[in-house]
């Protein structure tokens, strides 16, 4: 399509839609949040108050059953709906952004990718953690070979929830794509693949520490990359004390970093891209770079979640590559499937 304003329809206005997608869409020049789909009256009112003029629909079918002036659909609804909604939107000739994980299985993911390619439409997946400040810092550090040859990459998303939150994410039904491997694991795996490339071997331990929960809530993955680097990934809601967010061991030095990126907390508190200090981390939270006792603070790059949607606008309006390639999102699903097989069989497997 020619350059110009891209009109966006957002399906889902829960945590993902209201806290992440809607504010970032609204803050991106060239994008306009034109419609929100939610059947929840309170969320409908919240959307109207936050985004005056936005149209509210109770069902996603309203976006493609009649011409409502939408160019792009963002799917931020429960995981089980991602594939059918993506296929319906593509069938209506609309570009699609899917929240992660974009499908419960790699087979279904390929079906969506093939349909988007056949119709010549944009398909991309919201991997916002590629624009975490600490991840951007680590990419820069690796780019200038500040650690020497990387031996091991450690990455964690750990939280402490003595009582699990109820909801579909705790369901073991295969189509729900629940559990931490699909949820936080989608981010950690994606980051590891971006940094160190394809994986040749996967070992996983998917533990269920809560008797009343059917899915993994304390999970470990060991990935062997084709290039030789080993990635150790932890995700947990049963961590009474959290380990470092990153610890990267190199032949010449190491980088360690505690604490999560500041953008999610800022979005929850109502801050928006462009506001004072957006994405900036206080110095006391910067990571440490060095070896032995020779350590120094390394400034954390400003985070930039809005960069994802800037890439979406460029892809739709200018034909630029999508910010996250469909093949990259599919590779994450293939690692997830290998991890589930590894846990079931008690051994390392090839993806």
């Amino acid at each position: 399509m020619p350059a110009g304003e891209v009109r966006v329809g957002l399906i889902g206005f829960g945590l993902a839609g209201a806290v992440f997608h809607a504010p970032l869409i609204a803050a991106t020049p060239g994008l306009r949040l034109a419609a929100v789909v939610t059947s929840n009256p309170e969320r409908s009112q919240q959307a109207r108050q936050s985004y005056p003029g936005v149209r509210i629909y109770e069902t996603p079918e309203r976006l493609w059953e009649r011409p409502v002036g939408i160019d792009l659909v963002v799917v931020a609804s429960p995981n089980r709906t991602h594939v059918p909604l993506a296929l319906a939107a593509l069938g209506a000739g609309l570009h699609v952004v899917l929240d992660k994980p974009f499908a419960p299985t790699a087979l279904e993911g390929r079906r969506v990718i093939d349909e988007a390619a056949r119709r010549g439409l944009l398909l991309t997946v919201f991997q916002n953690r590629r624009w975490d400040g600490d991840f951007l810092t680590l990419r820069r550090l690796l780019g200038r070979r500040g650690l020497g040859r990387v031996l091991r990459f450690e990455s964690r998303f750990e939280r402490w929830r003595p009582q699990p939150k109820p909801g579909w994410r705790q369901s073991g039904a295969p189509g729900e794509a629940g559990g931490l491997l699909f949820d936080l694991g989608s981010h950690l795996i994606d980051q590891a693949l971006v940094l160190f490339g394809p994986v040749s071997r996967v070992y996983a331990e998917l533990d269920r520490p809560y008797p009343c929960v059917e899915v993994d809530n304390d999970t470990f993955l060991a990935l062997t990359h084709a290039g030789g680097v080993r990635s150790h990934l932890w995700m947990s809601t049963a961590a009474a004390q959290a380990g470092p967010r990153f610890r990267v061991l190199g032949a010449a030095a190491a980088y360690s970093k505690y604490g999560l990126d500041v953008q999610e907390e800022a979005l929850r508190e109502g801050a928006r891209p462009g506001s004072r200090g957006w994405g900036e981390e206080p110095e006391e939270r910067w990571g440490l770079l060095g070896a032995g006792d020779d350590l120094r603070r390394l400034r954390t790059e400003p985070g930039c979640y809005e960069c994802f949607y800037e890439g979406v606008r460029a892809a739709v309006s200018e034909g630029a590559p999508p910010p996250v390639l469909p093949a990259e999102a599919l590779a994450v699903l293939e690692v997830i499937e290998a991890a589930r097989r590894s846990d079931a069989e008690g051994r390392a497997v090839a993806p």
Side-chain angles (χ1 to χ4, degrees), residues 72-73 75 82-83 86-87 89-90 94-99 102 108-117 120-126 308 312 315-316 321-327 329-330:
L72 167 74
V73 167
V75 179
H82 289 185
V83 168
L87 292 173
L90 293 168
L94 301 172
H95 303 286
V96 175
V97 171
L98 282 168
D99 213 328
F102 85 107
E108 293 172 278
R110 291 187 191 96
R111 181 184 175 196
V112 177
I113 290 172
D114 290 345
E115 182 67 9
L121 294 168
L122 169 73
L123 173 68
T124 190
V125 176
F126 185 62
F308 172 84
V312 169
V316 173
V324 176
L325 298 175
L330 182 62

Side-chain angles (χ1 to χ4, degrees), residues 261-322:
D261 180 88
V262 298
Q263 292 172 97
E264 177 175 350
E265 181 182 357
L267 287 167
R268 287 175 181 270
E269 293 176 352
R272 297 294 180 260
S275 58
R276 184 176 181 180
W278 173 259
E280 292 279 358
E281 189 174 68
E283 184 173 353
E284 61 268 20
R285 291 177 59 174
W286 295 354
L288 291 173
L289 173 65
D293 295 329
D294 184 16
L295 304 177
R296 66 178 179 88
R297 290 282 182 186
L298 182 65
R299 177 180 178 271
T300 303
E301 294 281 320
C304 189
Y305 286 172
E306 66 274 22
C307 288
F308 172 84
Y309 273 110
E310 290 170 3
V312 169
R313 185 212 58 78
V316 173
S317 298
E318 303 166 12

Side-chain angles (χ1 to χ4, degrees), residues 20 99-101 126-130 132 135 153 155 157 159 180-194 233 235 245 264 305 332 336:
F20 287 97
D99 213 328
K100 56 77 196 167
F126 185 62
Q127 284 287 4
N128 60 302
R129 295 292 180 175
R130 292 189 185 188
D132 277 357
F135 184 69
F153 170 58
S155 178
F157 277 149
R159 296 166 179 164
L180 285 191
L181 179 61
F182 275 109
D183 185 15
L184 301 179
S186 293
H187 287 309
L188 297 183
I189 294 166
D190 180 72
Q191 289 183 334
L193 296 181
V194 168
L233 313 178
M235 57 225 73
R245 173 66 188 89
E264 177 175 350
Y305 286 172
V332 171
I336 287 174

